[in-house]
Amino acid sequence: MMLSSTAVVFALAGAFATLPAALGLVAQKRAAAFFDPTAGGGSMLIDAGNGLGEPLNVIISGLSSPQVLNEDGLINYARAIGFSTECFGIHLGNPFSANLGDGHGPVNQTTELRQDFGNADLGTCLESLVGGNHFRVYFQNGPSADSGAAFLAVSREEPASDNHDIVPDGYDIGRDQLVAGAVGITSFDGVTYSTTAQNVTGLLPVGSAGVNHGTSTGLRLAPTFPSTAVDDRCVPTSGIAIDGIVTVLTVTIQ
Ligand SMILES: *[C@@H]1O[C@H](CO)[C@@H](O)[C@H](O)[C@H]1NC(C)=O
Ligand SMILES: *[C@@H]1O[C@H](CO)[C@@H](O)[C@H](O)[C@H]1NC(C)=O
């Protein structure tokens, strides 16, 4: 389903307006799915520190169960959908900041999670070595746009040896893989989640302008991989464009 961003904020807010009382979550449940960061001077592109940005291409709606919309809750949810915290706490990249237009200005990511390849403890080490899906998390919880939503910058990376470059179409692919693993019923550590997805256009631009790795400076695995010579493993990518779609997930704890 495709909706404009404004429609989602209001349509979802309306559709779920009666739910909090029914679920007994009146005190915590937020009133909006999310607010468009650009309306508050922010951006849907996070700051990669080089003048370019990476897209916030998944939003976990503020209308999700409140227990999901904090760092610990989100980490547990991420584990349910195939991600884990970074390999033994070793952080391989710099923090990137985002301005969600909520009055907090630019803030660094709350956490960064990586695909765990089926093992929540060791799998992220594998991701760091062989590449895989990962995302950075930002909460929209400032005073002027307090939706509580979690904004995720999702991308599929090349291995650590390639300096964490993004695979061709790695933003769109990363988003679609995360969503595919999230939709439906998932569980981790005794918590069961029901997740629905909705695509939104009009928040992100389409194309590669301003997008990190959007120019042809990246590397990708050569078709001949694996190879013994490092120089043979990588070939330059053409620019990585984005399709402009943001997928909004609504996560309800069962
Ligand atoms: C993000 O973290 C880096 C490294 O710790 C720090 O230098 C930078 O000032 C932080 N940026 C923001 C916006 O807090
Ligand atoms: C969202 O868009 C992606 C990319 O076009 C598509 O694969 C996916 O099925 C869409 N999801 C929904 C819920 O419409």
Side-chain angles (χ1 to χ4, degrees):
M1 179 169 26
M2 287 274 191
L3 292 174
S4 80
S5 54
T6 333
V8 167
V9 172
F10 295 110
L12 290 184
F16 285 81
T18 54
L19 268 183
L23 297 175
L25 299 172
V26 176
Q28 297 166 301
K29 197 103 171 183
R30 310 294 181 119
F34 62 87
F35 298 104
D36 181 351
T38 58
S43 174
M44 285 297 286
L45 294 177
I46 67 172
D47 182 353
N50 58 1
L52 298 170
E54 300 194 353
L56 289 160
N57 46 10
V58 173
I59 297 173
I60 299 182
S61 166
L63 300 174
S64 299
S65 295
Q67 297 92 322
V68 180
L69 296 174
N70 58 68
E71 186 173 357
D72 287 347
L74 196 80
I75 287 173
N76 199 73
Y77 178 64
R79 287 180 162 156
I81 66 170
F83 289 80
S84 191
T85 47
E86 293 195 69
C87 176
F88 301 127
I90 299 167
H91 186 87
L92 295 170
N94 296 321
F96 290 174
S97 67
N99 181 348
L100 297 183
D102 60 1
H104 276 161
V107 291
N108 277 333
Q109 69 217 36
T110 298
T111 189
E112 182 168 358
L113 294 115
R114 297 179 179 280
Q115 187 174 13
D116 73 8
F117 291 99
N119 181 321
D121 294 321
L122 294 174
T124 52
C125 298
L126 193 57
E127 195 277 350
S128 293
L129 292 173
V130 306
N133 214 357
H134 91 301
F135 65 88
R136 302 170 193 264
V137 183
Y138 306 85
F139 290 101
Q140 187 175 53
N141 56 10
S144 56
D146 189 9
S147 67
F151 284 61
L152 277 48
V154 190
S155 57
R156 191 170 169 84
E157 283 183 332
E158 296 290 20
S161 57
D162 296 336
N163 201 23
H164 283 260
D165 275 313
I166 310 296
V167 302
D169 294 325
Y171 301 114
D172 297 341
I173 291 171
R175 175 201 62 213
D176 290 346
Q177 284 185 341
L178 180 145
V179 170
V183 168
I185 304 294
T186 56
S187 64
F188 189 84
D189 200 20
V191 186
T192 300
Y193 305 93
S194 172
T195 302
T196 58
Q198 200 162 30
N199 283 346
V200 180
T201 55
L203 287 169
L204 277 173
V206 177
S208 60
V211 174
N212 198 24
H213 309 284
T215 53
S216 54
T217 54
L219 297 172
R220 66 178 173 80
L221 292 180
T224 51
F225 180 83
S227 151
T228 46
V230 171
D231 286 350
D232 291 346
R233 291 206 297 244
C234 304
V235 296
T237 58
S238 54
I240 299 176
I242 57 175
D243 61 13
I245 292 172
V246 177
T247 304
V248 179
L249 300 178
T250 305
V251 184
T252 307
I253 291 180
Q254 301 290 282

mmCIF file of all heavy atoms in Angstrom, residues 10-48:
data_model
loop_
_atom_site.group_PDB
_atom_site.id
_atom_site.type_symbol
_atom_site.label_atom_id
_atom_site.label_comp_id
_atom_site.label_asym_id
_atom_site.label_seq_id
_atom_site.Cartn_x
_atom_site.Cartn_y
_atom_site.Cartn_z
ATOM 1 N N PHE A 10 -1.833 11.072 9.845
ATOM 2 C CA PHE A 10 -3.185 11.325 10.322
ATOM 3 C C PHE A 10 -4.068 10.083 10.232
ATOM 4 O O PHE A 10 -4.830 9.802 11.133
ATOM 5 C CB PHE A 10 -3.796 12.513 9.578
ATOM 6 C CG PHE A 10 -3.052 13.780 9.880
ATOM 7 C CD1 PHE A 10 -2.268 14.398 8.925
ATOM 8 C CD2 PHE A 10 -3.083 14.309 11.169
ATOM 9 C CE1 PHE A 10 -1.551 15.543 9.231
ATOM 10 C CE2 PHE A 10 -2.365 15.450 11.472
ATOM 11 C CZ PHE A 10 -1.601 16.073 10.504
ATOM 12 N N ALA A 11 -3.910 9.343 9.148
ATOM 13 C CA ALA A 11 -4.750 8.156 8.992
ATOM 14 C C ALA A 11 -4.453 7.146 10.096
ATOM 15 O O ALA A 11 -5.359 6.626 10.732
ATOM 16 C CB ALA A 11 -4.526 7.520 7.626
ATOM 17 N N LEU A 12 -3.170 6.905 10.364
ATOM 18 C CA LEU A 12 -2.837 5.922 11.384
ATOM 19 C C LEU A 12 -3.229 6.435 12.757
ATOM 20 O O LEU A 12 -3.736 5.701 13.587
ATOM 21 C CB LEU A 12 -1.343 5.593 11.352
ATOM 22 C CG LEU A 12 -0.877 4.808 10.129
ATOM 23 C CD1 LEU A 12 0.594 4.456 10.266
ATOM 24 C CD2 LEU A 12 -1.688 3.547 9.936
ATOM 25 N N ALA A 13 -3.009 7.718 12.977
ATOM 26 C CA ALA A 13 -3.374 8.279 14.280
ATOM 27 C C ALA A 13 -4.860 8.090 14.515
ATOM 28 O O ALA A 13 -5.296 7.689 15.590
ATOM 29 C CB ALA A 13 -3.005 9.759 14.345
ATOM 30 N N GLY A 14 -5.652 8.323 13.465
ATOM 31 C CA GLY A 14 -7.086 8.167 13.608
ATOM 32 C C GLY A 14 -7.486 6.720 13.813
ATOM 33 O O GLY A 14 -8.247 6.390 14.718
ATOM 34 N N ALA A 15 -6.881 5.853 13.004
ATOM 35 C CA ALA A 15 -7.268 4.443 13.048
ATOM 36 C C ALA A 15 -6.980 3.808 14.406
ATOM 37 O O ALA A 15 -7.687 2.925 14.853
ATOM 38 C CB ALA A 15 -6.531 3.670 11.958
ATOM 39 N N PHE A 16 -5.937 4.285 15.064
ATOM 40 C CA PHE A 16 -5.531 3.646 16.301
ATOM 41 C C PHE A 16 -5.996 4.433 17.533
ATOM 42 O O PHE A 16 -5.683 4.065 18.652
ATOM 43 C CB PHE A 16 -4.009 3.494 16.348
ATOM 44 C CG PHE A 16 -3.521 2.388 15.457
ATOM 45 C CD1 PHE A 16 -3.353 2.594 14.102
ATOM 46 C CD2 PHE A 16 -3.268 1.125 15.976
ATOM 47 C CE1 PHE A 16 -2.916 1.567 13.271
ATOM 48 C CE2 PHE A 16 -2.826 0.099 15.158
ATOM 49 C CZ PHE A 16 -2.655 0.324 13.815
ATOM 50 N N ALA A 17 -6.746 5.499 17.306
ATOM 51 C CA ALA A 17 -7.089 6.385 18.417
ATOM 52 C C ALA A 17 -7.836 5.656 19.527
ATOM 53 O O ALA A 17 -7.700 5.989 20.696
ATOM 54 C CB ALA A 17 -7.913 7.564 17.911
ATOM 55 N N THR A 18 -8.604 4.664 19.159
ATOM 56 C CA THR A 18 -9.406 3.998 20.185
ATOM 57 C C THR A 18 -8.672 2.814 20.816
ATOM 58 O O THR A 18 -9.096 2.286 21.824
ATOM 59 C CB THR A 18 -10.724 3.467 19.577
ATOM 60 O OG1 THR A 18 -10.385 2.659 18.455
ATOM 61 C CG2 THR A 18 -11.623 4.605 19.144
ATOM 62 N N LEU A 19 -7.549 2.399 20.225
ATOM 63 C CA LEU A 19 -6.865 1.204 20.709
ATOM 64 C C LEU A 19 -6.229 1.341 22.084
ATOM 65 O O LEU A 19 -6.325 0.417 22.891
ATOM 66 C CB LEU A 19 -5.791 0.765 19.708
ATOM 67 C CG LEU A 19 -6.245 -0.252 18.669
ATOM 68 C CD1 LEU A 19 -5.054 -0.652 17.805
ATOM 69 C CD2 LEU A 19 -6.831 -1.490 19.340
ATOM 70 N N PRO A 20 -5.552 2.465 22.383
ATOM 71 C CA PRO A 20 -4.835 2.524 23.657
ATOM 72 C C PRO A 20 -5.723 2.211 24.853
ATOM 73 O O PRO A 20 -5.342 1.437 25.732
ATOM 74 C CB PRO A 20 -4.319 3.964 23.703
ATOM 75 C CG PRO A 20 -4.174 4.338 22.270
ATOM 76 C CD PRO A 20 -5.317 3.653 21.574
ATOM 77 N N ALA A 21 -6.922 2.762 24.868
ATOM 78 C CA ALA A 21 -7.805 2.504 25.996
ATOM 79 C C ALA A 21 -8.122 1.012 26.087
ATOM 80 O O ALA A 21 -8.063 0.406 27.152
ATOM 81 C CB ALA A 21 -9.089 3.313 25.841
ATOM 82 N N ALA A 22 -8.378 0.414 24.920
ATOM 83 C CA ALA A 22 -8.718 -1.003 24.897
ATOM 84 C C ALA A 22 -7.573 -1.848 25.428
ATOM 85 O O ALA A 22 -7.777 -2.863 26.074
ATOM 86 C CB ALA A 22 -9.065 -1.419 23.470
ATOM 87 N N LEU A 23 -6.342 -1.418 25.166
ATOM 88 C CA LEU A 23 -5.181 -2.206 25.576
ATOM 89 C C LEU A 23 -4.673 -1.791 26.958
ATOM 90 O O LEU A 23 -3.711 -2.356 27.456
ATOM 91 C CB LEU A 23 -4.040 -2.053 24.561
ATOM 92 C CG LEU A 23 -4.348 -2.576 23.157
ATOM 93 C CD1 LEU A 23 -3.202 -2.266 22.210
ATOM 94 C CD2 LEU A 23 -4.615 -4.075 23.186
ATOM 95 N N GLY A 24 -5.260 -0.815 27.551
ATOM 96 C CA GLY A 24 -4.828 -0.387 28.867
ATOM 97 C C GLY A 24 -3.485 0.320 28.855
ATOM 98 O O GLY A 24 -2.746 0.291 29.822
ATOM 99 N N LEU A 25 -3.160 0.958 27.737
ATOM 100 C CA LEU A 25 -1.852 1.604 27.616
ATOM 101 C C LEU A 25 -1.996 3.115 27.525
ATOM 102 O O LEU A 25 -1.178 3.803 26.949
ATOM 103 C CB LEU A 25 -1.131 1.084 26.372
ATOM 104 C CG LEU A 25 -0.847 -0.422 26.370
ATOM 105 C CD1 LEU A 25 -0.318 -0.851 25.015
ATOM 106 C CD2 LEU A 25 0.133 -0.796 27.463
ATOM 107 N N VAL A 26 -3.028 3.642 28.098
ATOM 108 C CA VAL A 26 -3.373 5.055 27.945
ATOM 109 C C VAL A 26 -2.215 5.966 28.322
ATOM 110 O O VAL A 26 -1.906 6.927 27.628
ATOM 111 C CB VAL A 26 -4.605 5.409 28.807
ATOM 112 C CG1 VAL A 26 -4.903 6.908 28.720
ATOM 113 C CG2 VAL A 26 -5.804 4.610 28.337
ATOM 114 N N ALA A 27 -1.534 5.624 29.390
ATOM 115 C CA ALA A 27 -0.527 6.535 29.910
ATOM 116 C C ALA A 27 0.671 6.670 28.968
ATOM 117 O O ALA A 27 1.289 7.717 28.920
ATOM 118 C CB ALA A 27 -0.049 6.053 31.274
ATOM 119 N N GLN A 28 0.980 5.594 28.211
ATOM 120 C CA GLN A 28 2.228 5.626 27.462
ATOM 121 C C GLN A 28 2.066 5.782 25.960
ATOM 122 O O GLN A 28 2.932 6.309 25.306
ATOM 123 C CB GLN A 28 3.002 4.323 27.712
ATOM 124 C CG GLN A 28 3.402 4.137 29.162
ATOM 125 C CD GLN A 28 3.842 2.713 29.429
ATOM 126 O OE1 GLN A 28 3.086 1.774 29.232
ATOM 127 N NE2 GLN A 28 5.080 2.550 29.855
ATOM 128 N N LYS A 29 0.974 5.276 25.420
ATOM 129 C CA LYS A 29 0.860 5.199 23.961
ATOM 130 C C LYS A 29 0.870 6.596 23.345
ATOM 131 O O LYS A 29 0.193 7.492 23.820
ATOM 132 C CB LYS A 29 -0.438 4.480 23.593
ATOM 133 C CG LYS A 29 -0.457 3.983 22.168
ATOM 134 C CD LYS A 29 -0.218 2.501 22.112
ATOM 135 C CE LYS A 29 -0.453 1.972 20.717
ATOM 136 N NZ LYS A 29 -0.287 0.523 20.673
ATOM 137 N N ARG A 30 1.658 6.750 22.261
ATOM 138 C CA ARG A 30 1.770 8.045 21.606
ATOM 139 C C ARG A 30 0.578 8.270 20.682
ATOM 140 O O ARG A 30 -0.202 7.365 20.418
ATOM 141 C CB ARG A 30 3.061 8.126 20.805
ATOM 142 C CG ARG A 30 4.299 7.734 21.564
ATOM 143 C CD ARG A 30 4.625 8.694 22.692
ATOM 144 N NE ARG A 30 5.848 8.269 23.353
ATOM 145 C CZ ARG A 30 6.945 8.996 23.428
ATOM 146 N NH1 ARG A 30 6.969 10.194 22.900
ATOM 147 N NH2 ARG A 30 8.007 8.533 24.035
ATOM 148 N N ALA A 31 0.496 9.485 20.150
ATOM 149 C CA ALA A 31 -0.663 9.857 19.354
ATOM 150 C C ALA A 31 -0.388 9.911 17.857
ATOM 151 O O ALA A 31 -1.306 10.026 17.066
ATOM 152 C CB ALA A 31 -1.181 11.215 19.819
ATOM 153 N N ALA A 32 0.875 9.847 17.442
ATOM 154 C CA ALA A 32 1.195 9.954 16.018
ATOM 155 C C ALA A 32 2.166 8.860 15.618
ATOM 156 O O ALA A 32 2.997 8.421 16.417
ATOM 157 C CB ALA A 32 1.813 11.319 15.717
ATOM 158 N N ALA A 33 2.074 8.422 14.359
ATOM 159 C CA ALA A 33 3.000 7.418 13.854
ATOM 160 C C ALA A 33 4.422 7.975 13.815
ATOM 161 O O ALA A 33 5.382 7.323 14.211
ATOM 162 C CB ALA A 33 2.573 6.970 12.459
ATOM 163 N N PHE A 34 4.543 9.209 13.320
ATOM 164 C CA PHE A 34 5.829 9.918 13.259
ATOM 165 C C PHE A 34 5.543 11.317 12.743
ATOM 166 O O PHE A 34 4.442 11.589 12.259
ATOM 167 C CB PHE A 34 6.826 9.212 12.323
ATOM 168 C CG PHE A 34 6.366 9.141 10.890
ATOM 169 C CD1 PHE A 34 6.626 10.167 9.992
ATOM 170 C CD2 PHE A 34 5.633 8.050 10.438
ATOM 171 C CE1 PHE A 34 6.175 10.112 8.681
ATOM 172 C CE2 PHE A 34 5.179 7.980 9.126
ATOM 173 C CZ PHE A 34 5.459 9.014 8.256
ATOM 174 N N PHE A 35 6.525 12.194 12.849
ATOM 175 C CA PHE A 35 6.434 13.503 12.218
ATOM 176 C C PHE A 35 7.544 13.602 11.176
ATOM 177 O O PHE A 35 8.656 13.119 11.396
ATOM 178 C CB PHE A 35 6.590 14.620 13.252
ATOM 179 C CG PHE A 35 5.507 14.616 14.304
ATOM 180 C CD1 PHE A 35 5.769 14.138 15.582
ATOM 181 C CD2 PHE A 35 4.226 15.078 14.010
ATOM 182 C CE1 PHE A 35 4.776 14.120 16.558
ATOM 183 C CE2 PHE A 35 3.226 15.056 14.980
ATOM 184 C CZ PHE A 35 3.490 14.584 16.249
ATOM 185 N N ASP A 36 7.225 14.251 10.042
ATOM 186 C CA ASP A 36 8.233 14.449 8.997
ATOM 187 C C ASP A 36 9.339 15.348 9.552
ATOM 188 O O ASP A 36 9.085 16.500 9.900
ATOM 189 C CB ASP A 36 7.570 15.101 7.785
ATOM 190 C CG ASP A 36 8.554 15.313 6.637
ATOM 191 O OD1 ASP A 36 9.776 15.125 6.833
ATOM 192 O OD2 ASP A 36 8.084 15.684 5.544
ATOM 193 N N PRO A 37 10.581 14.836 9.646
ATOM 194 C CA PRO A 37 11.669 15.637 10.220
ATOM 195 C C PRO A 37 11.876 16.976 9.522
ATOM 196 O O PRO A 37 12.243 17.968 10.167
ATOM 197 C CB PRO A 37 12.904 14.742 10.041
ATOM 198 C CG PRO A 37 12.361 13.350 10.025
ATOM 199 C CD PRO A 37 11.027 13.479 9.309
ATOM 200 N N THR A 38 11.627 17.021 8.211
ATOM 201 C CA THR A 38 11.912 18.266 7.487
ATOM 202 C C THR A 38 10.989 19.398 7.946
ATOM 203 O O THR A 38 11.341 20.555 7.847
ATOM 204 C CB THR A 38 11.765 18.074 5.958
ATOM 205 O OG1 THR A 38 10.439 17.626 5.666
ATOM 206 C CG2 THR A 38 12.759 17.046 5.458
ATOM 207 N N ALA A 39 9.826 19.039 8.482
ATOM 208 C CA ALA A 39 8.892 20.067 8.971
ATOM 209 C C ALA A 39 9.478 20.804 10.166
ATOM 210 O O ALA A 39 9.117 21.949 10.444
ATOM 211 C CB ALA A 39 7.553 19.429 9.335
ATOM 212 N N GLY A 40 10.403 20.168 10.874
ATOM 213 C CA GLY A 40 11.028 20.793 12.044
ATOM 214 C C GLY A 40 12.490 21.135 11.812
ATOM 215 O O GLY A 40 13.269 21.198 12.757
ATOM 216 N N GLY A 41 12.877 21.309 10.542
ATOM 217 C CA GLY A 41 14.249 21.689 10.231
ATOM 218 C C GLY A 41 15.210 20.518 10.198
ATOM 219 O O GLY A 41 16.422 20.720 10.135
ATOM 220 N N GLY A 42 14.712 19.292 10.263
ATOM 221 C CA GLY A 42 15.578 18.112 10.228
ATOM 222 C C GLY A 42 15.678 17.539 8.833
ATOM 223 O O GLY A 42 15.378 18.209 7.844
ATOM 224 N N SER A 43 16.076 16.275 8.754
ATOM 225 C CA SER A 43 16.293 15.644 7.461
ATOM 226 C C SER A 43 16.051 14.149 7.557
ATOM 227 O O SER A 43 16.263 13.534 8.606
ATOM 228 C CB SER A 43 17.737 15.882 7.000
ATOM 229 O OG SER A 43 18.015 15.154 5.804
ATOM 230 N N MET A 44 15.622 13.569 6.467
ATOM 231 C CA MET A 44 15.482 12.102 6.386
ATOM 232 C C MET A 44 16.797 11.449 5.969
ATOM 233 O O MET A 44 16.858 10.236 5.803
ATOM 234 C CB MET A 44 14.376 11.720 5.408
ATOM 235 C CG MET A 44 12.965 11.934 5.942
ATOM 236 S SD MET A 44 12.568 10.911 7.396
ATOM 237 C CE MET A 44 12.367 9.282 6.610
ATOM 238 N N LEU A 45 17.843 12.259 5.795
ATOM 239 C CA LEU A 45 19.175 11.709 5.529
ATOM 240 C C LEU A 45 20.031 11.934 6.774
ATOM 241 O O LEU A 45 20.103 13.059 7.279
ATOM 242 C CB LEU A 45 19.829 12.393 4.329
ATOM 243 C CG LEU A 45 19.178 12.186 2.958
ATOM 244 C CD1 LEU A 45 19.911 13.001 1.899
ATOM 245 C CD2 LEU A 45 19.162 10.715 2.563
ATOM 246 N N ILE A 46 20.668 10.886 7.281
ATOM 247 C CA ILE A 46 21.572 11.061 8.405
ATOM 248 C C ILE A 46 22.911 11.571 7.881
ATOM 249 O O ILE A 46 23.211 11.470 6.698
ATOM 250 C CB ILE A 46 21.758 9.762 9.221
ATOM 251 C CG1 ILE A 46 22.490 8.674 8.423
ATOM 252 C CG2 ILE A 46 20.399 9.241 9.696
ATOM 253 C CD1 ILE A 46 22.852 7.458 9.262
ATOM 254 N N ASP A 47 23.702 12.141 8.776
ATOM 255 C CA ASP A 47 24.935 12.818 8.402
ATOM 256 C C ASP A 47 26.109 11.833 8.452
ATOM 257 O O ASP A 47 26.523 11.408 9.526
ATOM 258 C CB ASP A 47 25.164 13.975 9.379
ATOM 259 C CG ASP A 47 26.405 14.780 9.041
ATOM 260 O OD1 ASP A 47 27.167 14.386 8.135
ATOM 261 O OD2 ASP A 47 26.613 15.813 9.703
ATOM 262 N N ALA A 48 26.631 11.483 7.285
ATOM 263 C CA ALA A 48 27.728 10.510 7.224
ATOM 264 C C ALA A 48 29.079 11.163 7.490
ATOM 265 O O ALA A 48 30.116 10.501 7.394
ATOM 266 C CB ALA A 48 27.732 9.810 5.866
#
